[in-house]
Amino acid sequence: MNRNSKFFSFSFYLLIIIIFNSITVSAQINIYHKGWIDFNKNGRMDVFEDPAQPVEKRVADLLSQMNVDEKTCQMATLYGYKRVLKDSLPTSEWKTEIWKDGIANIDEQLNGVINGPERYYTNNLTYPYSNHAAAINQIQKWFVEETRLGIPVDFTNEGVHGLNHDRATPLPAPISIGSTWNRELVLQAGQIEGTEAKALGYTNIYAPILDVSRDPRWGRVVETYSEDPYLISELGIQMVKGIQSEGVASTLKHFAVYSVPKGGRDGNVRTDPHVAPRELQEMYLYPFKKVIEQ
């Protein structure tokens, strides 16, 4: 091969690389359109990407495009940094991890709390709030742009007695909140949680707990409002209203007979409830029914 041929081959190869990179960059930029996002990156607006379509049709369309791995990942929680996730922000290795196919939610990401009093800080990503929100947005951007279907992540966090973040406002234990019988105060508490969660970038709070605590031997009575289904439902309604008034989802805990473990024990037997059907309907499901109906 003469020099001209080698030069032509090299130039052609370089041109291909330039074109390929241009296409890649263009594809990343062009997924964002006015009023919609090309999540699956196929260059057209699918039903699930169309905000004007009914939710039911969008869900059905998205499900029809998902493979088994993607559906499985949407059934899973990825516990955040220093729990399961080893990275505070996306890395190149994420393309080979399970969540390369998406994930339903990342829980307690960058909340600065782990193993009781131990705390961790990562390049000021825990605080101030603006840095934390920017980090959450960067992670969300990775899931939208780097996974096949671009399904966004739900960023969850605990909120049993205040948002579980090292710079959030702590609230009394729920058993103390229940003792107040003060609907207005609980509404304000929910608004505080929702406001702080929204500022930090969380989209879903695990609160309130609507478990009915009838056996004092159970180890999590302190996390419940009381033994009375009516009081629990009344305070639960206010907490949900407060949280969701700030544009953050409220997840009710712990549907539905979590608080009735055999013999009042916790740990390995907490999913072995002993409860009669009538008691289940009239007591343990009552708070969930009332709050959901609001």
Side-chain angles (χ1 to χ4, degrees), residues 1-10:
M1 182 181 291
N2 60 39
R3 180 180 298 179
N4 289 336
S5 298
K6 290 181 179 179
F7 178 76
F8 176 79
S9 299
F10 175 77

Side-chain angles (χ1 to χ4, degrees), residues 62-202:
L62 177 58
L63 286 172
S64 71
Q65 298 189 38
M66 298 173 73
N67 60 38
V68 173
D69 289 339
E70 289 162 341
K71 290 177 180 177
T72 303
C73 283
Q74 289 302 319
M75 300 294 290
T77 291
L78 174 61
Y79 282 93
Y81 180 61
K82 290 291 188 180
R83 288 164 178 77
V84 172
L85 191 56
K86 295 180 174 63
D87 309 304
S88 56
L89 293 172
T91 69
S92 58
E93 285 74 23
W94 281 25
K95 294 293 287 186
T96 60
E97 297 285 359
I98 293 173
W99 51 91
K100 70 182 184 302
D101 297 309
I103 201 75
N105 67 299
I106 301 178
D107 190 36
E108 301 185 54
Q109 175 68 345
L110 298 173
N111 66 356
V113 182
I114 186 171
N115 296 332
E118 181 184 348
R119 295 182 177 182
Y120 62 88
Y121 302 93
T122 306
N123 298 327
N124 297 317
L125 298 183
T126 303
Y127 188 84
Y129 281 15
S130 57
N131 287 6
H132 189 283
I136 294 295
N137 288 340
Q138 185 174 336
I139 298 167
Q140 188 72 280
K141 188 173 186 287
W142 187 91
F143 279 94
V144 170
E145 296 183 359
E146 300 297 333
T147 61
R148 187 178 75 92
L149 293 177
I151 300 173
V153 172
D154 195 18
F155 287 96
T156 58
N157 201 356
E158 292 288 349
V160 176
H161 43 82
L163 186 69
N164 191 30
H165 188 280
D166 70 346
R167 300 301 178 94
T169 304
L171 301 174
I175 198 69
S176 301
I177 295 175
S179 300
T180 68
W181 286 74
N182 191 324
R183 293 179 179 87
E184 293 75 18
L185 196 60
V186 175
L187 176 65
Q188 291 180 39
Q191 291 169 336
I192 291 170
E193 284 201 38
T195 299
E196 294 180 338
K198 186 69 173 292
L200 284 160
Y202 296 113

